[in-house]
Amino acid sequence: MSSKKMITLKSSDGRIFEVEEAVAQESQTIKHMIEDGYGNSVIPLPNVTGRILYKIIEFCTKHVAVEEDIKQKSVEPTVVVEDVKQKSVEPTVVEDVKQKSVELPVDDDAWDAEPSDIDEWDAQFIDVDESTMFELIVASNYLNIKRLMDLSAQAIADMMKDKTVEEIRKIFNIQNDFTPEEEMKIRNENSWAYE
Amino acid sequence: MEQEDSSPILSLLTDDLLLRVLNNLPGESDRKTFRSVCKTFLRLDSIHRTSLRILRTEFLPTLLRRYQRIESLDLSVCPRIDDGTVAILMGGVSFGWSQSLRTLILSRSSGLRSGGLERLIRVCPNLEIIDVSYSCDFGDREVAALSFSSSLKDLKMDKCLAVTDVGLAKIAVGCSNLERFSLKWCFKITDLGIDLLTKKCFKLKYLDISYLKVTNHSLMSIASLQRLEVLAMVASNFVDDEGLHHLGNGCPSLQILDLSRCDKISTFGLSSVMRGHHGLLQIYAAYSFFEFSTSILNQVKNMRNLKTIRIDGARINEASFEILATNCKSLVEVGLSKCKGVTDSGLRLLAEACSSLRHVNLTCCNSITDLSIISISQFCKGLLILQLEACILISYTSLRCLGVCSSQLKELDLTDCSGVNDTGLRFLSGCSQLACLKLGLCTNISDEGLSYIASKCRHIHELDLYRCTGIGDGGLAAISTGCKKMKKLNISYCYEVTDEGIKWLGYLEELSDLELRNLVKVTGSGLAAIASGCKKLSDLDLKSCINIQDSGFWALAYYRVNLRQINLSHCGISDAGLCMVLGNLTRLQDAKLVNLRNVTVQGYELSLRACCARLKKVKLLANLSFQLSHELQDTLRIRGCRIRWD
């Protein structure tokens, strides 16, 4: 393949990063800047620190690589049939399955090269301390990277799931700014008022 | 603000990012925890919430002031909605909530009259969906109030018994944008009303005229609806083949047809509908025919897109299975409940051809064996719902196959399958996605089998163990530890269960429906444990639990104020206990109080008086009708409460 165009990004603390154009374009913000003609000079990102930018580039690089993998493998449908062959007990079933492999309700991900692998990678990627997670969601919002925004929002929500009020306040270091009467009122509403 | 300096989440994340996080918290309890954390979170919750289901009228004004963006308001479980409640709603300063409101659910609100209803409808200009079903006293004037909502698209009026053609005409004229309309059980509607409806509301896509006394003339009118996609006419016993013939010549967009339990139609009628509609997707014809005859089979050959067919109660033969297998390969649901002639070989043909099958109903097909289940499980990889009630030849072999090949199975009904035992349950636990499992009357299972299920099937929210006499305290302990999402549990007549087991149930925080009939070893302390632990309990059946003392009932009255339905028939509750229960449970809507041997007539008088404003249904022993004062009975009736005499 011909040499890919490289884009230069500069973080808020002056660090320079060179990335392939495809990776940089995972961010809609950077993509628009390139389309507007700024692709040849250094693109400054004053809202993103070097540490976070490094992680974001790692995320985008991985996802671009995975997508290219899928594109290559989608030309060879035999991968799907082999997987299903192992699962079914009767050999005659394979005939039907070949025709209907796109309709099986359970195996929607069969076209993905490594469906569970990328989810696992994502889970490990987002397994960071809270302040990094918050910086990631803010940066991915600024850079408009939908997949990373969704991933970090889900991760923060997971930290809140099935916890009590006190636990959430402790984890996120939030002060209780309700007066005792207000708090009582809210508790009443929660228990008796509505579903 | 100093708050934001110390807390990174509040200082870094903007409102819209926090709303994104809130989007990923769908569970109600998590949302309620979220809003209790701090003022910022409370404010965000008020912006975010779009639907509200109100439990008590006294909170209405506060909640509507707080949630200005709601799109759906459900007042059906509020104890008593009447014109006074509407006045409270109107008394609020701002009507922000009424502008965005699209859906209004007022089912079972018999207290509302046309005045209040009209005021409510006029204030909400963008209403699209209204549900007033089961408001049995609703008549033409109330329905006329609904007709002021010109943007209405979806109206449910099931069981509004007093509505006649006059009211229906008002709707037809006022709500010409109507797309979905359900009028089940509105017995006073005649062909005239349906005719006007079809002439004015030509955008109708969904129409439910089940149980109505309409005749073939109505079907002739309905046939003119060009956009109708779904027609339900369950138990339309005044319609015969002539009406179906009209339908066959009209309704070009028809996709789904339900003519279950229609006495006067025959297979010729159905085949004439099918002849005109080869694109039909779903046919529900349960208990309408004796035989899945050749006339229908000939039409089935043309129905390539058929997804659902239910022919419960009909006789079927091998040829039918062959024809279905050859022509209807897209089948997703097959209903063969109580059908004669269902065999292993027929089912194998079907399963092999229709690998998209997700829902198979074989209730009472008692000649099928493990071979059928093995075929279905191996060929239909997407199987989600399997009903095998009374299939007595099923054994652990089927369950082993299901556990291995159908691990995505969600619902399984094995009621009265005497071949199910602990070994079978151990194999079945491979179906870790099971959400609903019915094992009623399976007397060969014990705590050991149940604990396999409880340890692996963590998503179960409905479990039926009716008359499973082998189940005891150990089984309940297992369920309580493993199945934390349990919502509905039936352990009636499981005689071995004692207070020990019941106390374990107190740890099931999501439990909302519990049936404990005739558990004679359970006493007050067991009931108290459930009362204090199961915070979401709303429906409790304690019939014939004769050894529960008042201490249990007092705990129930104290803790479970959100209880909605209760069955205390044949219990040993005293006068004081009954007064406490009926007096304190301010959301109680349905109470069965037959044969309470320790309650005097005086006790009944006092207790019923305490709750007459909220109760909607009560069941009492027949001879009480002579002993209770007329004044009380009249008050109950006026307040909208129905008394059923046993």
Side-chain angles (χ1 to χ4, degrees):
Chain A
M1 293 208 58
S2 60
S3 69
K4 298 185 182 154
K5 179 162 181 217
M6 304 300 279
I7 305 286
T8 318
L9 304 170
K10 183 172 165 193
S11 69
S12 62
D13 44 355
R15 284 173 65 180
I16 306 285
F17 296 86
E18 270 206 5
V19 293
E20 290 176 13
E21 187 172 4
V23 173
Q25 289 191 333
E26 284 282 294
S27 152
Q28 296 294 314
T29 312
I30 297 181
K31 187 172 174 204
H32 291 318
M33 282 197 219
I34 295 174
E35 284 166 359
D36 285 346
Y38 295 104
N40 292 321
S41 48
V42 175
I43 296 183
L45 300 172
N47 290 1
V48 189
T49 65
R51 181 175 77 98
I52 296 297
L53 188 53
Y54 179 78
K55 281 216 70 129
I56 292 181
I57 291 173
E58 189 189 339
F59 182 86
C60 297
T61 314
K62 175 71 180 180
H63 278 261
V64 165
V66 165
E67 270 172 35
E68 281 190 12
D69 244 4
I70 293 174
K71 273 196 204 130
Q72 284 179 4
K73 285 203 181 163
S74 68
V75 186
E76 305 155 21
T78 46
V79 176
V80 178
V81 176
E82 269 167 31
D83 281 352
V84 181
K85 230 188 207 162
Q86 289 159 14
K87 284 184 201 165
S88 73
V89 180
E90 306 240 330
T92 48
V93 180
V94 176
E95 288 303 321
D96 281 352
V97 172
K98 237 192 205 153
Q99 294 158 10
K100 293 180 192 167
S101 60
V102 281
E103 286 165 27
L104 285 175
V106 194
D107 284 337
D108 269 338
D109 294 339
W111 288 113
D112 252 0
E114 313 150 326
S116 51
D117 286 351
I118 191 65
D119 288 341
E120 261 182 54
W121 190 91
D122 278 349
Q124 278 185 348
F125 176 82
I126 205 71
D127 186 14
V128 292
D129 60 284
E130 290 138 40
S131 55
T132 313
M133 218 187 282
F134 298 148
E135 289 183 70
L136 274 174
I137 193 175
V138 172
S140 61
N141 185 29
Y142 169 66
L143 292 171
N144 200 348
I145 306 172
K146 184 174 184 309
R147 214 194 308 248
L148 186 54
M149 263 199 290
D150 292 341
L151 183 67
S152 26
Q154 180 70 56
I156 299 176
D158 286 343
M159 285 171 71
M160 293 188 190
K161 269 198 186 127
D162 295 330
K163 299 272 190 320
T164 65
V165 178
E166 276 312 317
E167 284 170 351
I168 292 188
R169 286 181 185 148
K170 191 153 169 234
I171 294 174
F172 293 105
N173 199 14
I174 301 177
Q175 293 278 33
N176 177 9
D177 54 357
F178 291 123
T179 65
E181 297 84 32
E182 284 171 345
E183 190 153 10
M184 187 90 261
K185 190 169 161 203
I186 294 175
R187 207 175 303 164
N188 270 342
E189 281 175 7
N190 281 352
S191 312
W192 310 125
Y194 67 97
E195 278 170 359
Chain B
M1 276 186 267
E2 43 187 80
Q3 169 79 299
E4 291 178 348
D5 286 336
S6 57
S7 164
I9 191 174
L10 293 176
S11 55
L12 284 176
L13 268 61
T14 55
D15 276 359
D16 59 291
L17 286 178
L18 282 170
L19 283 173
R20 260 180 195 273
V21 173
L22 190 50
N23 263 340
N24 286 322
L25 275 179
E28 269 307 327
S29 53
D30 287 327
R31 302 274 303 265
K32 286 186 174 171
T33 315
F34 183 87
R35 73 192 286 263
S36 317
V37 170
C38 64
K39 285 189 178 167
T40 311
F41 282 13
L42 183 66
R43 179 174 53 85
L44 288 171
D45 176 62
S46 318
I47 302 173
H48 191 260
R49 181 173 277 277
T50 53
S51 85
L52 208 51
R53 188 174 195 224
I54 308 219
L55 298 180
R56 293 156 127 41
T57 37
E58 50 268 32
F59 290 98
L60 257 176
T62 338
L63 289 175
L64 289 178
R65 224 173 310 150
R66 195 196 290 288
Y67 294 108
Q68 293 281 319
R69 298 225 191 137
I70 43 166
E71 291 176 3
S72 161
L73 183 60
D74 182 347
L75 297 170
S76 63
V77 291
C78 248
R80 182 90 188 150
I81 301 290
D82 53 21
D83 288 5
T85 319
V86 176
I88 297 175
L89 283 177
M90 300 297 133
V93 175
S94 61
F95 283 146
W97 60 270
S98 67
Q99 297 304 313
S100 54
L101 202 63
R102 296 255 178 296
T103 304
L104 186 57
I105 301 182
L106 293 168
S107 43
R108 296 175 207 274
S109 5
S110 300
L112 260 183
R113 287 281 158 257
S114 55
L117 200 49
E118 191 179 326
R119 288 178 77 185
L120 194 52
I121 301 290
R122 281 198 190 277
V123 140
C124 305
N126 297 320
L127 270 180
E128 287 176 8
I129 303 177
I130 298 182
D131 182 352
V132 292
S133 40
Y134 299 96
S135 306
C136 301
D137 295 331
F138 263 36
D140 290 337
R141 291 174 75 177
E142 283 71 36
V143 161
L146 293 179
S147 67
F148 288 116
S149 179
S150 52
S151 54
L152 201 57
K153 285 199 182 140
D154 184 334
L155 179 58
K156 288 194 190 52
M157 265 181 13
D158 302 336
K159 218 160 192 178
C160 291
L161 298 171
V163 176
T164 70
D165 290 336
V166 175
L168 189 55
K170 293 251 166 69
I171 296 277
V173 170
C175 307
S176 52
N177 287 324
L178 214 50
E179 289 178 11
R180 295 174 65 99
F181 197 7
S182 176
L183 348 91
K184 290 197 277 215
W185 289 298
C186 296
F187 296 126
K188 293 193 177 167
I189 305 285
T190 72
D191 292 333
L192 275 168
I194 300 290
D195 189 46
L196 188 60
L197 180 69
T198 56
K199 289 202 162 63
K200 293 285 180 184
C201 297
F202 51 85
K203 293 186 190 176
L204 272 175
K205 283 189 189 164
Y206 173 109
L207 183 60
D208 190 342
I209 52 167
S210 303
Y211 306 98
L212 295 188
K213 295 185 181 165
V214 295
T215 72
N216 294 331
H217 289 290
S218 288
L219 283 191
M220 194 154 56
S221 316
I222 291 173
S224 67
L225 287 171
Q226 298 297 308
R227 301 193 203 179
L228 195 67
E229 291 171 12
V230 181
L231 177 62
M233 33 180 280
V234 176
S236 296
N237 291 330
F238 294 85
V239 166
D240 61 27
D241 286 349
E242 188 195 327
L244 289 183
H245 185 75
H246 290 306
L247 199 59
N249 289 335
C251 287
S253 313
L254 198 63
Q255 292 178 4
I256 301 177
L257 179 61
D258 187 348
L259 18 76
S260 306
R261 296 180 202 273
C262 292
D263 285 343
K264 294 209 169 57
I265 60 175
S266 80
T267 50
F268 289 116
L270 178 56
S271 59
S272 60
V273 177
M274 288 165 79
R275 193 175 309 125
H277 298 92
H278 289 156
L280 266 182
L281 291 177
Q282 298 181 23
I283 299 179
Y284 297 91
Y287 305 109
S288 294
F289 310 117
F290 291 118
E291 199 152 347
F292 198 46
S293 69
T294 22
S295 53
I296 298 189
L297 282 172
N298 284 335
Q299 294 308 320
V300 166
K301 287 179 187 158
N302 295 322
M303 315 210 75
R304 309 247 160 234
N305 297 332
L306 197 60
K307 287 218 153 59
T308 301
I309 183 155
R310 281 197 205 162
I311 43 167
D312 303 352
R315 174 180 289 284
I316 190 170
N317 55 25
E318 203 77 5
S320 324
F321 281 111
E322 263 185 59
I323 293 181
L324 279 172
T326 326
N327 296 293
C328 307
K329 294 194 192 285
S330 325
L331 273 177
V332 164
E333 180 181 338
V334 169
L336 300 166
S337 165
K338 304 204 173 114
C339 286
K340 297 190 182 50
V342 179
T343 59
D344 285 338
S345 49
L347 283 176
R348 191 202 153 92
L349 273 173
L350 197 62
E352 213 171 344
C354 307
S355 54
S356 322
L357 271 177
R358 279 193 219 150
H359 180 166
V360 180
N361 186 348
L362 300 167
T363 305
C364 293
C365 294
N366 43 25
S367 43
I368 63 166
T369 71
D370 292 330
L371 289 172
S372 294
I373 309 306
I374 294 176
S375 321
I376 297 175
S377 172
Q378 287 186 345
F379 291 125
C380 307
K381 293 293 178 191
L383 193 65
L384 291 177
I385 305 177
L386 186 57
Q387 289 162 280
L388 301 168
E389 182 177 340
C391 293
I392 47 182
L393 297 175
I394 303 293
S395 77
Y396 71 85
T397 319
S398 298
L399 299 182
R400 178 167 59 193
C401 194
L402 285 173
V404 170
C405 300
S406 301
S407 49
Q408 74 292 340
L409 197 63
K410 286 228 157 78
E411 282 184 38
L412 182 60
D413 186 348
L414 295 166
T415 309
D416 210 5
C417 290
S418 43
V420 174
N421 55 20
D422 288 341
T423 323
L425 287 185
R426 179 159 61 95
F427 288 129
L428 186 61
S429 63
C431 296
S432 54
Q433 301 299 312
L434 264 181
C436 171
L437 180 60
K438 296 199 175 136
L439 296 166
L441 295 165
C442 291
T443 42
N444 290 328
I445 63 171
S446 75
D447 288 344
E448 189 196 331
L450 198 56
S451 57
Y452 289 122
I453 299 279
S455 59
K456 296 265 202 57
C457 303
R458 299 277 167 157
H459 298 282
I460 290 194
H461 58 69
E462 187 176 334
L463 183 59
D464 184 357
L465 297 166
Y466 176 82
R467 289 194 194 268
C468 292
T469 44
I471 301 293
D473 294 341
L476 294 186
I479 296 173
S480 161
T481 333
C483 305
K484 287 289 182 197
K485 298 189 188 177
M486 189 70 72
K487 286 199 188 137
K488 252 181 100 156
L489 181 61
N490 185 343
I491 47 173
S492 299
Y493 306 100
C494 295
Y495 299 115
E496 297 300 317
V497 171
T498 70
D499 280 341
E500 275 305 307
I502 298 293
K503 282 178 186 159
W504 279 105
L505 292 183
Y507 294 109
L508 288 171
E509 297 200 346
E510 300 290 320
L511 198 60
S512 71
D513 273 28
L514 184 57
E515 250 194 69
L516 302 170
R517 290 190 178 194
N518 212 350
L519 295 185
V520 293
K521 293 188 185 172
V522 173
T523 71
S525 61
L527 182 57
I530 300 178
S532 58
C534 301
K535 303 201 190 324
K536 295 205 179 159
L537 199 60
S538 96
D539 193 333
L540 183 60
D541 190 336
L542 298 166
K543 184 172 173 182
S544 305
C545 288
I546 46 182
N547 287 323
I548 297 187
Q549 312 96 333
D550 266 12
S551 57
F553 296 116
W554 283 68
L556 198 64
Y558 179 70
Y559 284 111
R560 292 277 62 78
V561 189
N562 273 348
L563 208 61
R564 233 178 281 167
Q565 281 192 46
I566 194 162
N567 187 344
L568 296 170
S569 304
H570 305 281
C571 282
I573 194 173
S574 68
D575 276 352
L578 189 63
C579 276
M580 281 296 287
V581 166
L582 291 186
N584 261 22
L585 298 183
T586 49
R587 269 192 65 208
L588 202 60
Q589 294 187 346
D590 188 332
K592 295 196 178 83
L593 309 168
V594 174
N595 197 14
L596 301 177
R597 58 178 194 278
N598 289 340
V599 175
T600 63
V601 178
Q602 183 87 350
Y604 277 114
E605 287 272 344
L606 281 170
S607 324
L608 287 173
R609 245 173 245 282
C611 64
C612 61
R614 330 173 259 259
L615 215 55
K616 292 195 176 156
K617 275 205 299 196
V618 69
K619 194 171 177 190
L620 300 165
L621 203 56
N623 58 12
L624 272 179
S625 65
F626 306 116
Q627 294 170 318
L628 285 178
S629 67
H630 286 290
E631 192 201 327
L632 176 63
Q633 294 187 44
D634 285 339
T635 315
L636 282 171
R637 223 182 325 266
I638 291 173
R639 296 287 190 131
C641 175
R642 269 183 43 208
I643 310 180
R644 280 154 64 219
W645 302 108
D646 191 15

